[in-house]
């Protein structure tokens, strides 16, 4: 079929001649093992160069070098050349093999990874885009009473990167699911969150935690642009559990506007094409945007495994410390009679709810601001980063090009190229947000100011809240309790029954008070526990 002339090919291959390929085997043209080379009369040096050139061409294609070539008479292949040939074959195999499922899951959706964790920045950008559209939609509707079916409602949406809603068959950048939108709208109203402020806060600019790294639970924490709201990824089992307790949580918040429980403002899910489903919550930030926090404690009332070594604290003076750090440093909550009563009474109501819902493993987070030191240490300057893709600049660049790119493509490029920068604290609000004033525990310049025994102000400001309230005492925790109690004190380990956990927790909180003579030593908690298995 193809008649190859030896004289014409000689011009292309120099002194190398090719035998004619049979015309009845056109399919063999692509098979290198059918090609035979015969050395033309030439010097040994030229012959060696030509052999190396041909062998390099074969090896770079990934095919094995034909034995007819290797066995031809001529100079022996050098050891260096054989090593190079072997390395090329290995490289070709490595590059041509298919990605494993783990590699597919970890790859960046648009372009290449710019920095460690950059894929998570893109994910969070999509989360914020979905929140703005979904929350904006429910907030625009006329207010109405909450109905029973609202607790189990879920709305599915598909978007491109700029937030335009797509038809079901269109190619999407991410899919978004909004759970119980009317319930969370009601919760935001009860917590005093203005819907317009909520949407403005959750824009394309957001703050990252110190390194944007996951905590012990594997969750990532991100903050809204004004540091008021936290976006936290959660496990799908936590998401399912939250939906089962949502009604009781909503009723408790309605009856207790000063609750110390974590304030949830939204429950959502985002899914990238061919990616995992990521569930996350939006909640209120206990710590303030306008104050440096000089010490932070996470208190559970347990002593086993509840100590942060001093060497770790020296490396990071603002690290979160635990129960034994609190005790060994001789720390106490300085609250006068009036505030002490408010604190213990509300905390007891909250813990009773958690016991009733079969919840354990929660903790009281306490941030301490030294009023005398003020903000001179610039703590927030050293611990916060800002991520803000300049999408407006990308649009201008795209419009200047001869071949115009779509707005969505411009957004994808600029998000891919953006990296976090250090936060300038001048961009943070210099006063607490309005919703904090509505709660007695945030009414003193965004916190709960220390007082002496005659209720006079003291130079400390506390920021407190009960966090991590989505862990039920299920089979996993029961197994943990069984195995840990074989080697450790079963009364001191973290995984215990909710009623036991609640009593121990309240007892420890009573001991944190500087003066607790008027605080009960034993707390009556409800013994009837929900079964959510």
């Amino acid at each position: 079929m193809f008649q190859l002339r030896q004289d014409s090919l000689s011009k292309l291959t120099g002194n190398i001649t090719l035998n004619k390929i049979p015309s009845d085997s056109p399919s063999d043209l692509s098979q290198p093992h059918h090609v035979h080379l015969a050395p033309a009369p030439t010097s040994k040096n030229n012959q060696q160069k030509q052999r190396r050139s041909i062998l390099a061409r074969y090896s770079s294609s990934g095919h094995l070098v034909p034995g007819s070539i290797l066995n031809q008479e001529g100079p022996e292949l050098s050891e260096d050349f054989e090593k190079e040939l072997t390395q090329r074959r290995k490289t070709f195999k490595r590059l041509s093999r298919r990605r494993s499922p783990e590699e597919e899951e970890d790859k960046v959706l648009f372009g290449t990874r710019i920095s460690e964790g950059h894929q998570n920045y893109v994910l969070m950008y999509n989360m914020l885009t979905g929140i703005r559209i979904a929350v904006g939609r429910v907030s625009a509707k006329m207010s109405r009473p909450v109905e029973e079916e609202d607790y189990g409602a879920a709305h599915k949406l598909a978007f491109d990167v700029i937030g335009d809603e797509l038809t079901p068959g269109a190619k999407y950048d991410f899919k978004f699911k909004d759970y119980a939108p009317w319930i969370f709208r009601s919760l935001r109203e009860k917590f005093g969150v203005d819907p317009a402020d909520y949407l403005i806060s959750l824009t394309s600019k957001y703050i990252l935690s110190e390194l944007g790294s996951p905590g012990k639970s594997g969750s990532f924490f991100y903050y809204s642009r004004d540091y008021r709201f936290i976006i936290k990824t959660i496990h799908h089992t936590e998401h399912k559990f939250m939906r089962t307790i949502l009604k009781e949580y909503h009723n408790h918040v309605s009856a207790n506007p000063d609750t110390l429980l974590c304030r949830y403002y939204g429950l959502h899910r985002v899914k990238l094409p061919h990616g995992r489903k990521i569930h996350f919550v939006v909640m209120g930030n206990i710590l303030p945007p306008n104050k440096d926090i000089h010490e932070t404690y996470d208190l559970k009332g347990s002593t086993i495994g509840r100590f942060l070594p001093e060497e770790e604290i020296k490396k990071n003076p603002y690290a979160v410390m635990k129960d034994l750090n609190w005790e060994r440093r001789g720390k106490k909550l300085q609250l006068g009679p009036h505030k002490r009563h408010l604190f213990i009474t509300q905390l007891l109501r909250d813990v009773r709810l958690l016991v009733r819902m079969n919840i354990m493993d929660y903790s009281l987070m306490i941030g301490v601001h030294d009023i005398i030191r003020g903000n001179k240490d610039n703590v927030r300057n050293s611990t916060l980063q800002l991520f803000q893709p300049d999408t407006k600049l990308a649009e201008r660049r795209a419009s200047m090009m001869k071949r115009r790119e779509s707005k969505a493509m411009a957004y994808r490029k600029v998000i891919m190229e953006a990296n976090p920068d250090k936060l300038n604290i001048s961009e943070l609000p210099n006063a607490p947000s309005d919703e904090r004033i509505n709660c007695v525990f945030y009414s003193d310049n965004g916190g709960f100011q220390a007082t002496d025994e005659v209720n006079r102000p003291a130079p400390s400001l506390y920021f407190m809240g009960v966090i991590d309230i989505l862990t039920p005492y299920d089979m996993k925790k029961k197994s943990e309790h069984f195995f840990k109690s074989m080697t450790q004190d079963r009364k001191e380990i973290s995984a215990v029954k909710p009623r036991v956990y609640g009593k121990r927790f309240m007892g420890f909180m009573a001991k944190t008070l500087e003066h607790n003579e008027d605080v009960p030593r034993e707390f009556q908690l409800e013994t009837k526990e929900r079964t959510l298995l």
Side-chain angles (χ1 to χ4, degrees):
M1 183 175 179
F2 294 96
Q3 299 297 326
L4 305 178
R5 294 192 54 181
Q6 183 174 339
D7 55 347
S8 60
L9 285 171
S10 297
K11 297 178 183 179
L12 298 174
T13 60
N15 294 322
I16 307 297
T17 59
L18 282 77
N19 294 336
K20 184 170 68 175
I21 298 174
S23 59
D24 59 345
S25 302
S27 61
D28 290 339
L29 285 171
S30 60
Q31 304 298 324
H33 59 273
H34 285 284
V35 181
H36 302 282
L37 297 106
T42 182
S43 66
K44 289 186 177 181
N45 289 339
N46 288 340
Q47 188 180 46
Q48 189 174 18
K49 288 179 181 178
Q50 291 160 1
R51 283 165 55 79
R52 287 188 177 185
S53 175
I54 295 170
L55 288 173
R57 229 176 294 147
Y58 272 85
S59 62
S60 64
S61 69
H63 297 292
L64 294 176
V65 179
S68 57
I69 298 178
L70 294 175
N71 297 329
Q72 285 181 18
E73 295 181 0
E76 294 294 328
L77 296 176
S78 68
E79 185 178 351
D80 291 341
F81 181 72
E82 288 182 349
K83 287 181 179 178
E84 181 184 355
L85 188 60
T86 303
Q87 186 62 36
R88 290 195 182 194
R89 287 175 181 166
K90 289 180 179 179
T91 302
F92 179 83
K93 289 180 180 179
R94 176 171 54 82
L95 294 176
S96 61
R97 77 170 188 259
R98 294 186 63 182
R99 287 178 179 263
S100 66
E102 291 79 13
E103 291 172 322
E104 287 291 337
E105 184 174 278
D106 190 53
K107 70 178 182 180
V108 178
L109 185 61
F110 309 118
T112 56
R113 188 183 301 276
I114 302 300
S115 65
E116 187 66 28
H118 190 274
Q119 187 178 18
N120 294 305
Y121 307 156
V122 176
L123 177 65
M124 295 308 300
Y125 185 91
N126 292 340
M127 288 178 177
L128 294 175
T129 303
I131 290 171
R132 290 202 310 275
I133 304 301
V135 173
R137 174 177 294 182
V138 71
S139 298
K141 296 179 180 178
M142 294 290 291
S143 181
R144 63 169 176 80
V146 170
E147 300 173 358
E148 186 65 29
E149 55 267 26
D150 291 331
Y151 291 100
H155 297 171
K156 293 182 181 180
L157 304 165
F159 297 108
D160 65 13
V161 72
I162 58 178
D164 289 340
E165 190 172 353
L166 305 174
T167 58
K171 183 179 179 181
Y172 62 93
D173 283 310
F174 65 96
K175 287 183 177 179
F176 191 84
K177 199 168 186 178
D178 188 20
Y179 294 98
W182 281 98
I183 300 301
F184 285 103
R185 169 179 166 164
S186 173
L187 286 171
R188 291 191 294 269
E189 290 173 353
K190 292 182 184 300
F191 285 129
V193 178
D194 181 83
D197 286 347
Y198 186 71
L199 288 174
I200 291 172
S201 178
L202 295 171
T203 63
S204 59
K205 179 197 293 186
Y206 57 93
I207 301 169
L208 309 177
S209 58
E210 184 174 1
L211 296 174
S213 58
K216 185 178 180 181
S217 64
S219 298
F220 279 82
F221 293 81
Y222 299 83
Y223 300 86
S224 63
R225 61 182 296 176
D226 52 11
Y227 206 53
R228 289 165 61 188
F229 307 113
I230 294 176
I231 299 169
K232 177 188 176 184
T233 60
I234 60 174
H235 196 267
H236 74 92
T237 55
E238 292 178 296
H239 142 260
K240 289 173 64 178
F241 180 70
M242 184 175 185
R243 297 186 73 189
T244 64
I245 66 169
L246 187 56
K247 184 175 182 179
E248 289 181 79
Y249 175 81
H250 180 264
N251 292 339
H252 181 78
V253 167
S254 301
N256 296 271
D258 294 327
T259 179
L260 284 161
L261 294 181
C262 179
R263 300 182 164 212
Y264 289 112
Y265 299 135
L267 175 63
H268 312 283
R269 189 195 77 188
V270 68
K271 181 184 181 298
L272 302 179
H274 312 294
R276 296 178 301 173
K277 298 173 181 177
I278 308 295
H279 295 90
F280 64 99
V281 291
V282 182
M283 54 191 184
N285 188 6
I286 294 171
L287 304 180
N290 61 321
K291 302 289 183 185
D292 280 348
I293 299 300
H294 301 109
E295 290 181 334
T296 308
Y297 293 90
D298 182 86
L299 307 179
K300 289 188 174 183
S302 172
T303 56
I304 296 178
R306 300 296 298 164
F307 179 71
L308 184 68
E310 290 297 326
E311 52 267 25
E312 294 294 325
I313 299 174
K314 288 179 181 178
K315 293 178 184 177
N316 181 10
Y318 307 109
V320 178
M321 293 176 279
K322 301 180 181 179
D323 303 66
L324 290 178
N325 299 99
W326 177 276
E327 289 186 340
R328 294 177 186 180
R329 290 184 170 215
K331 293 293 179 180
K332 293 292 182 180
L333 284 175
Q334 190 179 2
L335 298 176
H338 175 64
K339 289 193 172 182
R340 187 163 61 238
H341 175 74
L342 289 174
F343 172 67
I344 289 296
T345 301
Q346 186 57 59
L347 189 62
L348 182 58
R349 290 175 186 166
D350 294 337
V351 171
R352 281 175 175 164
L353 172 75
L354 298 177
V355 171
R356 191 166 66 249
M357 294 193 300
N358 201 41
I359 295 173
M360 40 75 68
D361 215 24
Y362 44 87
S363 58
L364 180 72
M365 184 177 183
I366 303 176
V368 183
H369 172 75
D370 187 334
I371 295 176
I372 297 175
R373 288 170 66 181
N375 292 337
K376 63 182 180 182
D377 295 343
N378 293 323
V379 175
R380 292 161 296 162
N381 260 348
S382 60
T383 58
L384 298 176
Q385 295 175 303
L386 186 70
F387 182 67
Q388 184 185 21
D390 193 348
T391 52
K392 291 184 179 179
L393 177 61
E395 290 180 55
R396 290 197 297 269
R397 286 180 179 174
S399 64
M400 293 171 62
M401 297 174 63
K402 292 182 179 178
R403 179 186 174 186
R404 294 198 171 192
E405 295 177 314
S406 67
K407 188 177 179 181
M409 183 59 71
Y411 270 55
R412 293 185 190 110
K413 284 187 176 181
V414 75
I415 295 169
M416 178 193 70
E417 295 168 357
N419 277 312
D421 299 316
K422 280 195 171 183
L423 174 70
N424 184 350
I425 59 171
S426 63
E427 297 185 30
L428 293 176
N430 55 13
S433 54
D434 292 340
E435 72 268 11
R436 296 180 80 94
I437 301 173
N438 298 326
C439 176
V440 65
F441 297 106
Y442 299 133
S443 58
D444 301 328
N445 197 13
F448 200 50
Q449 188 166 357
T451 55
D452 60 17
E453 281 305 286
V454 291
N455 296 317
R456 292 177 302 192
S460 291
L461 198 58
Y462 303 123
F463 299 89
M464 302 183 293
V466 179
I467 61 173
D468 297 333
I469 61 172
L470 296 179
T471 305
Y473 190 62
D474 54 12
M475 288 304 299
K476 180 181 177 182
K477 286 297 179 181
K478 288 179 180 178
S479 301
E480 181 183 337
H481 171 79
F482 175 77
F483 287 108
K484 284 188 175 181
S485 61
M486 295 174 68
T487 57
Q488 299 171 351
D489 187 349
R490 66 174 58 198
K491 294 182 180 179
E492 294 300 326
I493 58 177
S494 179
V496 293
K497 292 181 178 180
R499 184 171 56 85
V500 177
Y501 191 98
K503 282 190 173 184
R504 186 180 66 187
F505 179 81
M506 287 302 304
F508 189 89
M509 294 309 131
K511 291 192 296 182
T512 64
L513 296 168
E514 186 177 35
H515 297 279
N516 56 11
E517 298 82 8
D518 55 348
V519 176
R521 293 294 179 269
E522 289 290 331
F523 296 91
Q524 295 299 319
L525 303 177
E526 294 185 24
T527 57
K528 185 179 179 180
E529 299 172 7
R530 289 182 59 196
T531 301
L532 296 169
L533 303 180

